[in-house]
Amino acid sequence: MQSGGGILRQPMSVWATAFAAVVAFMGIGLVDPILPSIAQGLRATPSQVSLLFTSYFLVTAVAMLITGWVSSRIGGRRTLLLGLALVIVFAALAGTSGTVGELVGFRAGWGLGNALFVATALAVIVGAASGGAEAAIILYEAALGLGISMGPLVGALLGDWNWRAPFFGTATLMAAGFVLIATMLRATPRPAVRTRLGDPIRALAHGGLSTTAFTALFYNYAFFTVLAFTPFVLGMSAYGIGAVFFAWGVMVALCSVFAAPRLQRGLGSVNVLHLALALLALLQVGIALSGQAGSRAGIIVFTILSGVPIGISNTVFTEAAMEVSDAPRPVASAGYNFVRWMGGALAPYLATKLGEEAGIALPYVVGAVCCLVGMAILYGRRHHLRSLARVDVDHTFQEVVA
């Protein structure tokens, strides 16, 4: 790997895309601090409000299947701008919602724009960044971590004024990202071979990619149990929830950029995933036990600490999906994200529904079980992941060169 200065010396087009990616990922955690306020303002139950996440990620997952088809025909730059335009429109419309049904629908449209942008942004950053694919992925994950950490903070600051304000704020920031990319990113060359609609599904026939994707599905269920259900458990103001998830997001960002590469060099990618999933399972059990004991402090501590395995997992899963198969990166990314975001679609509604029906501990227990299922998939299909050994060798070689 190059030194930190090397990673930071990037073309302005990369920074423009990274800025827009930060704002795009802010949209994931933006609604966290204001979920209780939305429920109160629209007279909705927690499980109804959780559909904000479900519609968003369900559409994002399905739309991943068409991102490569679109970008291979109109080019990466136009696909980014189309995705940003959709986010701007639907984020602004979300702020005008009069019912929870309208808000859920507008978040679905937001998810379509997000899918077009996020899937293409990774490919654009990998293609334009200096320092190779690893540096680009670290930049991308840094943008993800920063966006996820800033989202709750921005949501709390604006949401304390009015629950509609974060949606209008996101639309404004995305408009700034649109201008930056429109002015700084040159038209990207179209691929020599156009992606077919069925290519992402065909790519999942590869044992390594399907193993990575379905392990990530169960991991994402656990991830979004923490993100979507915990705001209702904390029983805090928007500022309090925002502060907790800001600290959580900082842990995600730091561990994505710094801890994950070092652990990969020392332990290997597959072992790191086992370690991260085991730690996330233990921390979810900690949240469950704290909730049963009525310890808000315990819930806060375990929630913030869960950012450690989540940050590590995000980076290692993304790199594994990019490198484990011989499919073109945009195609592999689309197939992988189609499967894994299903976990993000299922968890928010199911976790809050379980919480309403059976108490606050059970959703986290289910999340912990999902982590164990993911570990079982990794172990049972470990022979499909042997090709990741070359990624671990590259990490070690780059450290020696640096």
Side-chain angles (χ1 to χ4, degrees):
M1 179 193 287
Q2 291 186 7
S3 64
I7 291 176
L8 293 176
R9 285 196 293 268
Q10 301 293 344
M12 286 303 297
S13 59
V14 171
W15 291 119
T17 307
F19 168 78
V22 169
V23 181
F25 288 121
M26 279 175 54
I28 296 176
L30 183 83
V31 298
D32 250 35
I34 57 173
L35 286 174
S37 298
I38 293 173
Q40 182 179 5
L42 296 179
R43 298 179 182 177
T45 65
S47 59
Q48 288 175 325
V49 173
S50 74
L51 291 173
L52 292 174
F53 285 104
T54 295
S55 64
Y56 179 84
F57 287 117
L58 182 61
V59 172
T60 296
V62 175
M64 285 292 175
L65 297 177
I66 67 167
T67 54
W69 184 88
V70 172
S71 64
S72 67
R73 283 159 176 78
I74 67 173
R77 180 175 178 272
R78 289 180 179 176
T79 305
L80 289 178
L81 293 175
L82 174 60
L84 286 172
L86 288 172
V87 172
I88 292 166
V89 170
F90 284 105
L93 287 173
T96 68
S97 301
T99 67
V100 70
E102 289 180 1
L103 186 52
V104 169
F106 292 139
R107 280 282 284 183
W110 187 340
L112 173 60
N114 193 65
L116 289 168
F117 174 81
V118 168
T120 311
L122 177 56
V124 168
I125 289 175
V126 168
S130 60
E134 184 197 356
I137 289 172
I138 290 174
L139 282 173
Y140 179 81
E141 292 299 333
L144 186 154
L146 183 60
I148 286 180
S149 65
M150 292 299 294
L153 196 61
V154 172
L157 292 173
L158 295 177
D160 186 61
W161 173 47
N162 188 292
W163 69 261
R164 300 177 188 273
F167 298 109
F168 293 124
T170 298
T172 302
L173 289 172
M174 273 304 201
F178 184 98
V179 172
L180 286 173
I181 289 179
T183 55
M184 293 183 180
L185 181 63
R186 296 178 181 177
T188 53
R190 299 177 189 178
V193 179
R194 289 185 175 184
T195 301
R196 295 172 295 177
L197 282 174
D199 283 351
I201 297 297
R202 294 186 187 94
L204 289 169
H206 186 279
L209 186 59
S210 61
T211 298
T212 304
F214 282 96
T215 303
L217 184 153
F218 287 98
Y219 154 69
N220 268 263
Y221 186 99
F223 174 175
F224 284 98
T225 294
V226 175
L227 188 63
F229 180 58
T230 306
F232 295 106
V233 174
L234 287 170
M236 301 169 72
S237 67
Y239 281 119
I241 297 171
V244 169
F245 278 97
F246 172 72
W248 169 85
V250 169
M251 300 299 288
V252 172
L254 292 176
C255 292
S256 294
V257 176
F258 299 109
R262 286 176 170 79
L263 287 171
Q264 281 178 282
R265 286 192 289 268
L267 301 175
S269 298
V270 176
N271 289 332
V272 171
L273 288 176
H274 277 293
L275 177 64
L277 288 170
L279 180 57
L280 182 55
L282 288 174
L283 291 171
Q284 292 220 319
V285 171
I287 298 174
L289 294 176
S290 297
Q292 281 191 321
S295 172
R296 180 185 292 172
I299 295 172
I300 291 172
V301 169
F302 287 121
T303 297
I304 293 173
L305 289 178
S306 71
V308 173
I310 287 171
I312 293 169
S313 297
N314 285 347
T315 293
V316 179
F317 271 121
T318 299
E319 192 162 336
M322 295 297 99
E323 303 293 343
V324 75
S325 74
D326 55 1
R329 281 181 174 140
V331 173
S333 176
Y336 163 73
N337 280 299
F338 166 66
V339 175
R340 74 142 172 168
W341 285 122
M342 287 297 179
L346 292 170
Y349 180 76
L350 293 179
T352 51
K353 199 65 177 176
L354 282 174
E356 289 172 353
E357 301 291 336
I360 63 175
L362 185 58
Y364 297 107
V365 172
V366 173
V369 170
C370 284
C371 291
L372 298 180
V373 172
M375 293 173 67
I377 294 172
L378 279 180
Y379 181 78
R381 295 174 60 85
R382 61 193 181 279
H383 58 287
H384 290 297
L385 301 174
R386 288 173 184 159
S387 61
L388 290 179
R390 76 174 185 275
V391 177
D392 302 326
V393 169
D394 288 344
H395 277 285
T396 303
F397 174 75
Q398 288 163 357
E399 180 183 33
V400 172
V401 172

